[in-house]
Amino acid sequence: LWVAKIRLFFDKTNLNEKKSIKKTKIFNSKNEFVEISADFGASILNCIFQKENTDFQIIKTEKNKEKYIEDYNKYFNQAKLSPFANRIANGEYEFRGEKFKLFANETNSGHALHGFVHNKKFSIASKQSNSISLFYEYPGDVEGYKYPYIIIVTYTLTKQGLECKTEIENLSKKSMPLSDGWHPYFSFDCLVDNLYLKIPSETTLDR
């Protein structure tokens, strides 16, 4: 079970809603809201927070649906990344003494990039005013990763911030390699030097 709670501290940017893509909204007691697309890998489309009673969009958005899809498939903006995040060099990895080869979807480098679920259609498992759970069953059909599993992504929005909880159920009969991530594209009309991101992590991993 992987849980990340994200609190965002920001300056400001323009409100820019995406009206042409099907989405589901959750909101908190401050009337801040997040919009999620089940059709685009349980990705976040809009994230509206308040500062001094003014709404601010804090992630990069795109009004045009075709342009959004083009950017999403190219840059993975706001995508959920599973069963691995970042790049696997040459699509090759070793797990428990066995070597595997993945399809290199980053064609200019020959690497495997960001997993398989970002463009999959999720189903809504449950929905409340401030929370939504979505799931997708990966059938284990990608060469190099024959580990079927169920991924459940739950977004919860409170007045303290946004929580993203990911649960994985291994449907195979053996242990599976797994990492998990989110690929946010923040957008502010100020220099990044004037911002900070606070992640209340309990442990760190030394490299």
Side-chain angles (χ1 to χ4, degrees), residues 120-135:
K120 298 300 187 292
K121 185 173 182 178
F122 279 58
S123 299
I124 296 176
S126 63
K127 168 74 168 61
Q128 299 179 4
S129 61
N130 75 323
S131 180
I132 185 172
S133 293
L134 309 98
F135 72 94

Side-chain angles (χ1 to χ4, degrees), residues 4-93:
K5 190 172 184 179
I6 306 162
R7 292 177 182 173
L8 306 167
F9 302 81
F10 56 92
D11 199 308
K12 62 180 181 177
T13 190
N14 293 326
L15 185 66
N16 180 19
E17 288 200 2
K18 192 184 294 88
K19 298 180 179 179
S20 59
I21 297 175
K22 185 178 179 181
K23 52 201 172 185
T24 303
K25 180 187 290 187
I26 59 174
F27 54 90
N28 62 15
S29 59
K30 296 167 61 177
N31 212 31
E32 298 172 326
F33 66 88
V34 173
E35 292 179 318
I36 300 100
S37 171
D39 293 342
F40 289 88
S43 62
I44 293 177
L45 297 179
N46 286 307
C47 190
I48 308 299
F49 282 179
Q50 289 184 353
K51 184 177 181 181
E52 299 175 351
N53 297 318
T54 301
D55 289 346
F56 295 105
Q57 170 67 271
I58 64 167
I59 61 172
K60 184 179 183 298
T61 63
E62 173 57 55
K63 287 183 178 181
N64 181 273
K65 182 176 181 179
E66 287 71 27
K67 183 64 165 60
Y68 172 79
I69 295 172
E70 179 184 348
D71 287 351
Y72 184 73
N73 288 325
K74 184 176 181 180
Y75 302 115
F76 294 83
N77 41 308
Q78 281 64 257
K80 198 74 183 69
L81 310 180
S82 180
F84 62 90
N86 215 323
R87 291 161 178 81
I88 296 180
N90 303 315
E92 299 174 347
Y93 71 98

Side-chain angles (χ1 to χ4, degrees), residues 89-173:
N90 303 315
E92 299 174 347
Y93 71 98
E94 184 175 331
F95 180 66
R96 296 198 167 182
E98 187 175 356
K99 294 183 179 180
F100 299 89
K101 175 71 173 178
L102 295 165
F103 172 72
N105 59 329
E106 191 178 47
T107 54
N108 62 332
S109 68
H111 303 322
L113 182 65
H114 291 335
F116 322 125
V117 306
H118 76 283
N119 57 358
K120 298 300 187 292
K121 185 173 182 178
F122 279 58
S123 299
I124 296 176
S126 63
K127 168 74 168 61
Q128 299 179 4
S129 61
N130 75 323
S131 180
I132 185 172
S133 293
L134 309 98
F135 72 94
Y136 170 73
E137 183 173 336
Y138 166 67
D141 58 350
V142 174
E143 188 63 36
Y145 198 85
K146 301 291 187 178
Y147 302 94
Y149 69 93
I150 295 174
I151 177 172
I152 304 172
V153 181
T154 301
Y155 295 106
T156 303
L157 183 63
T158 69
K159 63 181 180 179
Q160 284 77 36
L162 174 66
E163 179 178 289
C164 175
K165 177 181 177 183
T166 304
E167 300 173 88
I168 300 292
E169 181 182 353
N170 184 359
L171 300 180
S172 70
K173 297 181 180 180

